Amino acid sequence: MTTPPEAKRLDVGDKAPDFTLTNDKGETTSLADFTGQRVVVYFYPRANTPGCTKEACDFRDSLAQLNSAGIAVVGISPDKVEALAKFRDEHELNFPLLSDPDKEVMEAYGAFGEKKNYGKVVQGVIRSTFLVEPDGTIGLAKYNVRATGHVARIIKDLEATNS
């Protein structure tokens, strides 16, 4: 039995993998849409689950602060567009949610692969967050993040990189 290769991880300074995915409104959104600005791209396992809802609502509640620092936010999960629209509406989310059902973008960012779930090693979405700089490079890469308090930690990290 062979072990699947470990997910490729991105580091600060790496070129951010480009993507074009369908958003929660059924329209396409690309990383190129954010050229020239900073954007937080975060990956989460599933809409309307406790951890993912907590994380999304934290981004929602912090969006004005992030936007005032010139940072946009995009969330990506393997959910279908209809599930993303429901998630957006139920929680009044104010940033785009993108559908990556084939997990190709997740794999390109190293946000899909082996992880531990209740002590078992499984293949799945690795909760991860990246800051893509205006030049298209990775400015921050966080893997295996905890949903609770994550956005506050990201803001603190961003403030530290700006000082």
Side-chain angles (χ1 to χ4, degrees), residues 9 35 48 56 63-64 95 99 114 124 126 147-148 158:
R9 298 247 169 153
T35 299
N48 274 322
L63 191 64
F95 54 88
S99 175
E114 278 191 6
I126 300 165
T148 302
L158 292 173

Side-chain angles (χ1 to χ4, degrees), residues 60-139:
R60 175 199 66 204
D61 296 345
S62 301
L63 191 64
Q65 181 181 1
L66 289 163
N67 287 170
S68 70
I71 300 168
V73 174
V74 174
I76 301 177
S77 77
D79 293 299
K80 292 182 177 167
V81 171
E82 300 78 20
L84 296 177
K86 183 179 177 189
F87 187 42
R88 176 199 65 219
D89 292 346
E90 282 183 14
H91 300 287
E92 299 177 1
L93 301 178
N94 49 3
F95 54 88
L97 301 174
L98 309 183
S99 175
D100 184 17
D102 299 326
K103 303 171 189 80
E104 290 175 7
V105 176
M106 292 179 180
E107 288 175 355
Y109 277 77
F112 186 85
E114 278 191 6
K115 66 178 191 174
K116 284 197 176 179
N117 192 16
Y118 299 106
K120 290 183 180 178
V121 176
V122 297
Q123 288 284 112
V125 177
I126 300 165
R127 190 182 305 274
S128 308
T129 301
F130 304 88
L131 174 69
V132 179
E133 296 290 356
D135 67 359
T137 61
I138 300 293

Side-chain angles (χ1 to χ4, degrees), residues 12-13 18 26 30 42 48-49 53-54 75 85-87 89 94 121 127 144 151 157:
V12 171
D18 199 9
S30 299
Y42 83 96
N48 274 322
T49 56
T53 299
K54 172 74 175 141
K86 183 179 177 189
F87 187 42
D89 292 346
N94 49 3
V121 176
R127 190 182 305 274
N144 296 308
V151 176
D157 288 345

